[in-house]
Amino acid sequence: MQRKKPFQSIQFSFSWLILTLLLALSLLLGACGTTNDPRGVTTSNAQVSAAIQLPPTEVLTGTSGQPTQPTTAARATTAAETTTSGELTSTPVIAATPTGAGAASGSVTAPTPVPAISAAPLPTTTPTPSANAERVDRAAELKTIKTAYDAIREHLFKEPDTAAILNAALKETASVIGKSAPVVNFGKGADSNWQLFQTAWNKLMESVPEFKYPKTQLSQRVVNVMADTVGDEHTYYLDANSYQSRQNLLSGDNSSVGFGVLVSTEAEKAFVVRIVPNSPADKAGVRPGDQIVKYDEQPIDDKNWTIIRNAKENETHTFLFGRPGEAGPVTLKIVKKKYTLPTVEYRMINGHIGYVAVRDFFLNVADETDRAMTELRKQGADSWLIDLRENPGGVNVEQEVGRFVAGGEVMGYNSDRKNREAMKVSNDLAAGPNKGKPFSPQLPLVVLIDDVSASSSEMFALAVRDFKLGTLIGVKTAGALGHTAAYPLGDGSAISVTVDEYESRGGTKANGIGVTPDVTVERTIQDLVSNRDPQLTSGVEYLEKQLAKK
């Protein structure tokens, strides 16, 4: 499923970012994570990074309404976060763990899911064969496929098209073994369709009795396609690494293993969009806007750059970057290592605007945001610029909204096939003077969003609009508003399933559509390469004008 790219000149969609939003690959060049998380949990885990304060900066604004180039590099917009890659996905907001009825008689019972979340999910691209090939264990592979099928049919927030899902599974299997897919007349019954599929699949595999493939990887490819066929931003396959990263983040561990960069593609090239502070890439000297030209002598383009994800922990790899302003390519050796993903980065802009970049909705997001706002207020902040760009979502969005709204207020509704439940604002914090109440005083607010802002980011943006807290600037968001639960497949991997979808307090249903900003301002790869950030500049300009009226 093709997802949207982070920086496009028009609007997009990943999601999960479904079908056009760049899938948030667990990469961060090979490393990023997702999450699962017990709702409302806070933690003192040492791996959870505190809010990072960045140097203050000045941003010049034009007088004609057109933003001008910042005078200093906007580190906070580039030195950021976590997870993703040229195909980015969002993470659904945390929902109650679905219990679901057992599978129908004779079927494999779907495993107990990990708590549903709304963080940065890391869907996996089509698995590529790795490891030694061996004769396929048909029973084991079919069991994995059945487990994924049951998870989708029992827990997806809407009635799934089982015929389409199983047809896709047969076509993928046939493609892998080099045969033509059989024509099966599926009906509407989920159980009867499975029986038809099982018969056709076994017959297909019997036609190649000596076929060899890496263990478990045939079923993983099939599950990947099945999830993709659902056509929902939060329903996707998670390989073992992505699933483990998701588990780690839900337990309060913001660490990841990788190089620490966010990548986007444009004009058949792969560019570094952002670098995680203190990550291997950051320490090696990678810069936002760098084009990845080669990786270990392998030419890199928009189609093959994901091979970077195959690097092993503690391996050193050689990158050749094209860098604006340099006479020739820049060669850097980078070690794939463990690093910590920041939740929040903050700084003062123009001496009075409090800039808070929320990089991911990790467990500690509300506490770190409150800490950043408290510090910026001490430094004289008289307005807020909240940056949710490239934030694929996460958990505890109710607490984040609670930094601006009183607890107990209904911020939206979560609906599945049977129920519609209110989602309420929470003022819970682990500690601090603002525990149990919103941050005070309420100041002018601008929120920056883009086509990779998903899930929790979108819910926050809708709350800003519904509660009339401020102005949204940027481009339409991913359109991935829901909660997801991860269902283990028994081989270390899992399938993420959207268990409900979100409707805002004001009645907006943006799942699959996205949130349209109040002020549309685009940002392209060329802007990044040229050290321009028209969205940030526009936000600063808007606040300056608002404050000038007072």
Side-chain angles (χ1 to χ4, degrees):
M1 178 184 300
Q2 182 63 35
R3 266 97 176 169
K4 284 191 170 176
K5 299 179 181 178
F7 299 97
Q8 352 185 98
S9 31
I10 315 183
Q11 326 267 352
F12 92 130
S13 157
F14 148 12
S15 211
W16 100 181
L17 290 137
I18 252 190
L19 300 180
T20 326
L21 226 185
L22 271 131
L23 250 167
L25 303 175
S26 77
L27 187 280
L28 248 2
L29 255 51
C32 230
T34 32
T35 39
N36 266 350
D37 131 28
R39 179 178 276 175
V41 173
T42 55
T43 175
S44 59
N45 190 311
Q47 293 295 346
V48 177
S49 66
I52 298 176
Q53 181 167 9
L54 302 171
T57 188
E58 297 293 320
V59 174
L60 296 182
T61 57
T63 56
S64 63
Q66 295 298 320
T68 58
Q69 181 173 347
T71 57
T72 57
R75 166 83 175 160
T77 64
T78 56
E81 180 216 40
T82 172
T83 183
T84 113
S85 83
E87 299 254 305
L88 211 37
T89 83
S90 67
T91 306
V93 190
I94 183 167
T97 302
T99 53
S105 174
S107 66
V108 179
T109 302
T112 302
V114 203
I117 66 172
S118 153
L122 294 184
T124 306
T125 50
T126 302
T128 53
S130 60
N132 297 324
E134 55 184 79
R135 287 190 63 176
V136 173
D137 183 337
R138 290 188 320 195
E141 301 281 357
L142 189 60
K143 181 179 180 180
T144 298
I145 295 171
K146 181 61 163 64
T147 301
Y149 178 72
D150 284 343
I152 293 172
R153 72 180 187 125
E154 294 173 12
H155 301 297
L156 187 69
F157 72 94
K158 61 183 179 181
E159 197 68 41
D161 184 344
T162 58
I165 292 170
L166 295 175
N167 259 321
L170 284 175
K171 289 180 180 179
E172 181 66 9
T173 302
S175 173
V176 172
I177 67 176
K179 296 286 184 177
S180 297
V183 176
V184 179
N185 294 317
F186 291 110
K188 294 184 178 180
D191 289 328
S192 58
N193 279 348
W194 174 258
Q195 294 304 321
L196 291 170
F197 169 82
Q198 181 175 250
T199 299
W201 191 86
N202 278 324
K203 186 175 181 179
L204 188 61
M205 294 305 298
E206 287 169 0
S207 69
V208 285
E210 301 302 319
F211 180 73
K212 294 183 178 182
Y213 207 71
K215 186 176 181 179
T216 74
Q217 293 183 31
L218 172 60
S219 57
Q220 290 172 2
R221 287 183 63 111
V222 172
V223 171
N224 185 66
V225 169
M226 291 168 64
D228 198 54
T229 304
V230 171
D232 176 79
E233 303 276 359
H234 290 308
T235 300
Y236 47 84
Y237 168 72
L238 288 164
D239 63 21
N241 289 335
S242 296
Y243 178 51
Q244 186 57 55
S245 293
R246 175 175 173 131
Q247 297 296 84
N248 291 345
L249 290 179
L250 284 177
S251 67
D253 182 354
N254 293 18
S255 65
S256 187
V257 175
F259 296 106
V261 301
L262 178 77
V263 173
S264 181
T265 59
E266 184 174 282
E268 300 183 351
K269 299 175 182 178
F271 295 88
V272 174
V273 174
R274 195 171 66 214
I275 298 101
V276 177
N278 301 315
S279 66
D282 188 30
K283 293 177 180 178
V286 180
R287 299 178 186 174
D290 282 351
Q291 178 197 342
I292 306 175
V293 178
K294 287 185 178 181
Y295 170 73
D296 289 343
E297 299 304 317
Q298 170 70 44
I300 296 297
D301 57 27
D302 62 326
K303 297 181 178 61
N304 72 347
W305 71 268
T306 55
I307 62 172
I308 296 168
R309 300 177 64 234
N310 299 330
K312 305 299 182 183
E313 185 174 2
N314 295 320
E315 283 184 351
T316 299
H317 293 270
T318 302
F319 289 78
L320 189 68
F321 293 104
R323 178 172 295 171
E326 298 288 344
V330 175
T331 301
L332 297 175
K333 291 185 179 296
I334 309 175
V335 182
K336 182 173 181 177
K337 299 181 69 174
K338 189 173 185 177
Y339 60 92
T340 299
L341 305 168
T343 303
V344 167
E345 294 174 315
Y346 67 96
R347 66 178 175 188
M348 289 289 281
I349 292 180
N350 292 356
H352 66 99
I353 296 175
Y355 172 84
V356 180
V358 181
R359 298 309 185 187
D360 228 315
F361 280 78
F362 293 142
L363 293 181
N364 61 341
V365 63
D367 288 276
E368 295 308 325
T369 298
D370 190 79
R371 183 174 293 113
M373 293 171 70
T374 298
E375 181 57 34
L376 290 170
R377 184 62 178 160
K378 289 179 181 177
Q379 296 175 24
D382 59 6
S383 55
W384 303 120
L385 183 55
I386 306 295
D387 193 345
L388 297 180
R389 294 176 298 174
E390 294 141 23
N391 184 328
V395 298
N396 292 345
V397 63
E398 316 95 307
Q399 294 181 15
E400 188 73 350
V401 174
R403 294 303 80 230
F404 302 89
V405 177
E409 290 277 359
V410 173
M411 60 177 282
Y413 301 88
N414 297 312
S415 301
D416 58 21
R417 296 184 215 175
K418 298 180 180 179
N419 304 306
R420 182 173 185 263
E421 297 182 356
M423 185 171 175
K424 297 183 178 181
V425 177
S426 170
N427 294 144
D428 289 346
L429 291 176
N434 295 313
K435 183 176 182 178
K437 60 182 180 181
F439 191 93
S440 181
Q442 191 171 75
L443 302 174
L445 171 68
V446 162
V447 176
L448 302 182
I449 55 176
D450 65 8
D451 50 5
V452 182
S453 302
S455 223
S456 290
S457 293
E458 297 177 283
M459 294 178 190
F460 183 89
L462 286 171
V464 167
R465 175 169 292 163
D466 288 345
F467 287 104
K468 296 179 172 53
L469 300 174
T471 301
L472 306 179
I473 293 179
V475 296
K476 183 188 276 188
T477 60
L481 289 93
H483 290 78
T484 184
Y487 296 82
L489 299 178
D491 61 357
S493 65
I495 183 170
S496 171
V497 177
T498 303
V499 296
D500 65 36
E501 66 175 349
Y502 183 78
E503 175 186 344
S504 78
R505 172 192 179 97
T508 300
K509 294 182 178 180
N511 190 39
I513 300 173
V515 179
T516 301
D518 301 309
V519 180
T520 297
V521 179
E522 296 173 350
R523 179 175 59 151
T524 66
I525 288 292
Q526 189 54 49
D527 285 324
L528 185 72
V529 171
S530 302
N531 191 31
R532 295 190 300 263
D533 191 342
Q535 293 170 337
L536 175 69
T537 306
S538 182
V540 171
E541 183 175 61
Y542 186 91
L543 286 171
E544 296 285 17
K545 289 181 177 179
Q546 290 298 107
L547 294 167
K549 295 177 182 179
K550 293 189 174 184

